[in-house]
Amino acid sequence: MKMKKSFVFATMLLSALMVKAQDDPVVMTVNGVSVPRSEFEYSYNKNNSDGVVDKKTVAEYAELYANYKMKVQAALDERLDTLSSFKNEFALYRDQQVLSTIVTDADMLVEAKKAYTRAKEAIGPRGLIQPAHIFFRLSTKATPQEQERVKQRADSVYNVLRNGADFAELAKKVSENPRTAERGGLMGWMQPNQAYPEFEDVAYSLQPGEYSRPFLAPDGYHIVLMKARKQLEPFDELKDQIVRSFEQQGIRDAIAQQKLRDQLSGDNSLTMEQIMEKRADSLAAVDPEMKYLIQEYHDGLLLYEISNRKVWDRAAKDEAGQRAWFDAHKKDYAWSEPHYKGIAYHVKDKADVKAVKNCVKRLPFDQWKEALRSTFNPDSVIRIRVEIGIFKQGDNPTIDRMVFKTNPTNTDNGVNNDYPIDAVYGKKLKKSPENYTDVRAQVIADYQEMLEQEWIASLRRRYPVKINQDVLKTVNQH
C-alpha cells in the first residue's frame, strides 16, 4: 500500500512537471543550458518596448540573446562570479529587491500610526503654533552695556510696530536671523519643547494676530507675532504624507532589516547572507518577474566584467593594436573635406602670439594642451584662451575665418574684448588624419567591434547554440 501511494505521488509530480514544461517550453539551449520561453519573453519585451529606437524582431533578438548567454557562460567558466567585487555588488542589489518585499504597505501604515501617536502625545493639548519673529542677537558673554544697547534697539522696533508698521517688512529689514528674515520673520510649525522655554512661554500665550513685547531668550531678544495655531490633523489626513516621508528617509528598508534581525535572532544557525539568499530563492519560486529581474542583474554584472576584459578595456588600452588597425583601414577614415589640426587662441599681449607657437612647435600634438596650461595659465590668472583639436569648417569661428577663409557659420564670432588678439597654429589636413590618435575615439570603437565579433565567433565554436524555431514563433503569441 505504501509503495502504491509513492507511485501515485511520483506519477502526479511527473504530470505536473510535464504540464509546466508545456506551459513554458524551451526556446533555446546554450551549451546545454535551457532558456525557457518566459525568460526570453521577459528580456525581449523589456528591451523592445515602445520607447526603444532600435527595435528587434523576435528572430533578431534570439541571436543577440544567445550571444548574451554565451558571454555569461564564459564569465562563469572563468569564475568571475567568485570575485569579491562581483559578490558584494550583486548581494547589494539582490538585498534591495528582497527588502522591498518584506515590508508591506500595511506594515508602513502601522509604523505611520505609531509615529503619529508619538507626535500627538508630544504635542499635547497646547497644539501647534506658527510664529513669526524679529530677532536681535545677543552673545551669552555680552556686557550689561551691550545687553542694554540691544534691548533699546528691540524696544525701538517694537514702538515702530505699535505705530502701525508692517511686521513682515520690519523683519526683512532688521531681523538678525537671515533664514526667517527673508520670509518676513515667518518660522515653521512648532510643537512644545522645540524651542527655548522663554520663547515658547511667550509664543504659546499669544492668539493669532497678536504680537509680544520684546523679551529675552538665551540667544537674544525676540518680538513674536502669532500667525496661526491648530491641533494636529486626524491621522487619516496625514497618513499619506507620513508614509511618503518614511519612504524618502529609507524607513521601509530599516523596518525590513529589523524583521530580518529578529528572524536571525530566532535561528542562530543562519547568517544574514543566508537569510537573504533563502528569501530571494523563495521570491523567485513564486514571482517569475522577480526571478528574472535578479537573474538579469546577476548576469549583467558578469557580462560587464568579461566584456570589459575581452573587448572594451582591452581595445582602449592597446595602443599598438589601435595603430595597427588604423594602418590597415586608413581608407575608412578618409575625410570628404579638409580639417585643421591645431589651436585657435586668443591673447591680450601681441608678444604672446609668438610665445604660444614657440611653446608647442617642437612637442607632440597630444602634449600641447598641458604645455599651454602650465606655461600660460598655471593658476587662477588666465593669460590666454585656447581651443585645441581637429576642426572642420563650421566647428570654430576663428579657424573658419583665419584658416578656411570663410565667414563663420557660428553666430558667436569668437571675439572677446578681454583677449582681443586672435591667432591660429597648426596644419591643414586635406584628405585624412595624420595618424590614429587624430581619430582615436572612432578607431577604438571600430577596434572594439572587431574584437567583439572575433570573441562571439570563438564563443560560437566553444558553446553549442540551438534555437527552437517552432517555440520561437510562439513568443508573445500564446
Side-chain angles (χ1 to χ4, degrees):
M1 188 67 154
K2 187 175 181 180
M3 183 180 296
K4 186 176 180 180
K5 286 184 177 179
S6 298
F7 175 76
V8 171
F9 176 76
T11 303
M12 292 173 62
L13 179 61
L14 180 60
S15 298
L17 292 173
M18 290 174 65
V19 170
K20 184 177 180 181
Q22 291 171 355
D23 290 343
D24 197 9
V26 174
V27 76
M28 69 176 69
T29 58
V30 179
N31 197 38
V33 179
S34 299
V35 177
R37 183 175 60 191
S38 61
E39 175 188 337
F40 180 81
E41 285 180 335
Y42 169 84
S43 182
Y44 176 77
N45 292 332
K46 184 174 182 178
N47 291 292
N48 286 272
S49 60
D50 291 339
V52 174
V53 176
D54 185 21
K55 287 188 176 182
K56 303 295 182 186
T57 66
V58 171
E60 290 170 337
Y61 195 77
E63 293 297 327
L64 295 175
Y65 200 69
N67 293 342
Y68 166 73
K69 300 297 283 189
M70 288 190 303
K71 293 173 183 177
V72 172
Q73 185 60 54
L76 291 170
D77 288 347
E78 294 189 19
R79 296 177 57 79
L80 298 185
D81 59 327
T82 66
L83 296 173
S84 59
S85 56
F86 166 82
K87 291 193 289 188
N88 291 338
E89 187 168 355
F90 172 65
L92 181 64
Y93 178 82
R94 178 205 63 201
D95 293 353
Q96 287 175 342
Q97 306 311 309
V98 170
L99 288 172
S100 68
T101 67
I102 292 175
V103 180
T104 66
D105 290 344
D107 292 329
M108 292 294 283
L109 276 178
V110 169
E111 294 301 319
K113 182 66 173 178
K114 290 179 182 177
Y116 175 85
T117 300
R118 290 193 297 269
K120 191 170 181 64
E121 291 174 351
I123 292 169
R126 299 183 80 184
L128 299 166
I129 58 172
Q130 188 179 38
H133 74 149
I134 299 174
F135 175 60
F136 307 90
R137 191 177 305 281
L138 183 64
S139 169
T140 55
K141 298 179 180 179
T143 64
Q145 293 80 6
E146 290 170 333
Q147 182 172 331
E148 180 61 26
R149 185 167 59 251
V150 173
K151 181 180 183 302
Q152 288 178 1
R153 185 162 180 252
D155 287 339
S156 174
V157 171
Y158 175 72
N159 289 330
V160 174
L161 280 172
R162 292 185 64 190
N163 290 326
D166 182 77
F167 190 98
E169 291 302 316
L170 267 180
K172 290 177 182 179
K173 292 177 181 178
V174 305
S175 181
E176 295 178 1
N177 181 333
R179 185 172 59 85
T180 59
E182 65 183 13
R183 300 196 303 266
L186 187 64
M187 306 173 75
W189 284 99
M190 295 175 55
Q191 67 184 56
N193 302 314
Q194 277 193 320
Y196 292 120
E198 295 86 347
F199 184 96
E200 287 191 6
D201 288 344
V202 173
Y204 270 100
S205 70
L206 301 172
Q207 294 303 313
E210 294 180 345
Y211 59 85
S212 70
R213 299 182 64 87
F215 64 91
L216 181 63
D219 54 347
Y221 278 90
H222 298 261
I223 302 173
V224 173
L225 167 68
M226 183 53 56
K227 300 292 290 184
R229 303 184 67 138
K230 67 178 181 179
Q231 293 297 321
L232 187 63
E233 294 85 349
F235 174 69
D236 284 345
E237 292 183 24
L238 297 177
K239 63 183 180 181
D240 292 342
Q241 179 181 333
I242 298 172
V243 170
R244 280 197 302 272
S245 174
F246 278 6
E247 298 287 7
Q248 293 168 357
Q249 297 173 46
I251 300 297
R252 184 184 290 267
D253 284 354
I255 297 170
Q257 288 167 356
Q258 185 58 53
K259 282 191 171 187
L260 289 172
R261 283 193 291 270
D262 293 343
Q263 182 180 344
L264 187 61
S265 64
D267 186 351
N268 294 326
S269 66
L270 295 176
T271 64
M272 181 65 78
E273 172 67 15
Q274 290 169 330
I275 288 177
M276 297 302 288
E277 285 181 3
K278 287 182 65 176
R279 178 78 182 184
D281 290 343
S282 298
L283 288 169
V286 298
D287 185 349
E289 186 164 339
M290 178 64 75
K291 171 186 175 182
Y292 295 139
L293 181 65
I294 294 176
Q295 178 182 318
E296 179 183 48
Y297 197 82
H298 175 278
D299 293 352
L301 288 175
L302 291 175
L303 176 68
Y304 177 85
E305 183 62 34
I306 196 166
S307 296
N308 205 40
R309 295 181 180 210
K310 300 292 186 182
V311 178
W312 305 330
D313 201 42
R314 176 182 167 188
K317 292 180 178 178
D318 182 9
E319 294 190 9
Q322 295 168 23
R323 186 181 299 107
W325 174 267
F326 174 81
D327 291 341
H329 300 84
K330 280 186 178 180
K331 65 180 186 300
D332 296 333
Y333 301 99
W335 292 323
S336 59
E337 57 183 320
H339 285 58
Y340 187 75
K341 180 179 180 179
I343 54 174
Y345 60 105
H346 319 276
V347 300
K348 301 177 180 180
D349 188 338
K350 191 172 183 179
D352 278 340
V353 172
K354 187 175 182 179
V356 168
K357 295 178 181 179
N358 290 337
C359 175
V360 300
K361 66 181 180 182
R362 292 184 178 86
L363 295 176
F365 185 66
D366 60 1
Q367 295 180 20
W368 285 19
K369 184 175 182 179
E370 178 56 27
L372 291 170
R373 187 203 65 78
S374 60
T375 302
F376 297 97
N377 302 331
D379 48 36
S380 59
V381 179
I382 307 301
R383 183 170 154 192
I384 64 172
R385 289 177 58 245
V386 182
E387 297 95 41
I388 183 168
I390 298 177
F391 307 90
K392 64 180 184 299
Q393 186 176 324
D395 285 348
N396 183 283
T398 303
I399 290 173
D400 282 353
R401 187 175 70 253
M402 301 185 72
V403 175
F404 296 119
K405 309 301 182 183
T406 63
N407 292 323
T409 56
N410 190 328
T411 55
D412 175 11
N413 61 14
V415 175
N416 186 307
N417 292 331
D418 293 331
Y419 302 86
I421 305 171
D422 296 336
V424 295
Y425 182 72
K427 64 176 68 174
K428 186 186 287 188
L429 306 176
K430 293 185 178 180
K431 296 182 178 180
S432 62
E434 283 188 304
N435 57 56
Y436 78 99
T437 61
D438 294 343
V439 283
R440 187 192 294 272
Q442 187 179 347
V443 167
I444 290 175
D446 294 341
Y447 188 30
Q448 286 174 336
E449 178 63 22
M450 182 272 291
L451 291 176
E452 171 85 7
Q453 295 307 316
E454 286 186 348
W455 184 33
I456 290 174
S458 70
L459 292 175
R460 289 277 180 168
R461 293 190 295 269
R462 180 178 174 188
Y463 300 123
V465 173
K466 182 179 179 181
I467 298 177
N468 189 331
Q469 297 296 334
D470 290 337
V471 176
L472 195 65
K473 291 176 183 178
T474 68
V475 169
N476 291 334
Q477 302 297 322
H478 55 94

